[in-house]
Amino acid sequence: MSRDHDDTIAGRISRALAERIIHGELVPGARLAQDHLAEEFGASHVPVREAFRRLEAQGLVVSLPRRGVRVASFDLKQVREVAEMRAALEVLALRHAAPSLTPEVLAAAEKAAGDADAARDVRTWEEANRRFHRLIVSTCGMPRLLTVIDDLHAVSARFLFVAWRATWEARTDHDHRAILQALRDGDTEEACRILERHVQWIGRAPLPLPGRSETEGFAIVG
């Protein structure tokens, strides 16, 4: 088996497992059995181990001595850490992207914002929200930065699905519209200011959800 083929299989395995973790099908603390996954995907142990490394780099799994590879747990401190990282890196990307954003890209971002506002379930909202954030930085010309931002969005999505696994409320995101208006006005600094505040709000305010502690009910949308 060639290395390139192993990489392709590892990518397929890591994407499949990330999807299961993000959507709560694999719960925090669940053990990922190398043998079972190799059998499921018709692969050797080599690409499975590579998939584990990729997931660990994304913060989705942890490798523990004598306990194997487990789905990572998280707490409010980690949510806020991801929010701070996203705010810093997305603002950096937006500063570089803004001069190259075309009316077509901004129209696509407007459509994504509208789709998010109209969402009636958490999965639809998350996909549209992620699409909005990706579009406004898509022209930054910094592929490594975009890869890191994508990884952080995957972790944010996991926080979101855990926080909202039982209920979802439709919402209108005024920040998205304000960011787009600032970009259309050519005011990059204002767009960056709103984006930074918007993302940093994640984890800062507890949600008033009955039966949840503050650490379970923190604001997670952004």
Side-chain angles (χ1 to χ4, degrees):
M1 185 180 294
S2 71
R3 181 179 175 184
D4 287 344
H5 189 45
D6 273 349
D7 286 345
T8 300
I9 296 171
R12 181 162 57 89
I13 296 170
S14 63
R15 285 191 297 273
L17 293 178
E19 186 78 4
R20 295 174 195 177
I21 293 168
I22 287 166
H23 292 110
E25 295 166 30
L26 289 170
V27 299
R31 184 172 180 274
L32 301 181
Q34 194 174 125
D35 290 344
H36 292 167
L37 290 169
E39 183 178 353
E40 176 185 347
F41 289 95
S44 71
H45 285 192
V46 174
V48 175
R49 285 195 294 270
E50 173 59 27
F52 287 167
R53 283 193 288 271
R54 295 182 188 192
L55 293 168
E56 192 166 14
Q58 288 181 283
L60 295 176
V61 306
V62 291
S63 181
L64 302 171
R66 297 181 297 282
R67 294 190 62 205
V69 176
R70 305 263 174 174
V71 175
S73 59
F74 64 88
D75 57 23
L76 184 55
K77 182 179 178 181
Q78 290 169 287
V79 173
R80 288 177 173 169
E81 178 186 18
V82 169
E84 292 286 345
M85 291 176 68
R86 271 190 54 195
L89 297 181
E90 288 183 43
V91 165
L92 173 62
L94 184 58
R95 280 205 176 93
H96 285 270
S100 303
L101 286 170
T102 64
E104 291 75 19
V105 173
L106 291 174
E110 181 90 46
K111 171 69 165 54
D115 290 345
D117 289 347
R120 291 297 177 266
D121 61 81
V122 65
R123 286 196 184 209
T124 304
W125 183 89
E126 193 280 326
E127 185 280 327
N129 182 69
R130 193 189 302 211
R131 185 159 29 101
F132 171 85
H133 281 268
R134 189 61 159 80
L135 280 163
I136 63 172
V137 299
S138 61
T139 57
C140 70
M142 305 172 77
R144 289 183 181 178
L145 177 60
L146 291 177
T147 296
V148 175
I149 290 171
D150 285 345
D151 285 347
L152 291 172
H153 269 277
V155 178
S156 283
R158 184 182 174 222
F159 298 158
L160 175 75
F161 285 116
V162 169
W164 289 95
R165 61 182 173 267
T167 183
W168 176 251
E169 299 170 3
R171 64 200 60 239
T172 298
D173 198 318
H174 298 290
D175 282 350
H176 285 175
R177 297 308 196 290
I179 290 167
L180 288 172
Q181 189 57 55
L183 290 170
R184 289 190 173 112
D185 291 343
D187 193 343
T188 300
E189 286 308 308
E190 175 66 2
C192 288
R193 186 190 66 78
I194 299 168
L195 177 62
E196 182 175 30
R197 181 196 67 201
H198 173 72
V199 176
Q200 284 183 336
W201 187 248
I202 297 171
R204 294 294 175 188
L207 293 169
L209 298 178
R212 295 200 183 175
S213 69
E214 179 178 341
T215 56
E216 292 174 317
F218 42 79
I220 203 70
V221 293

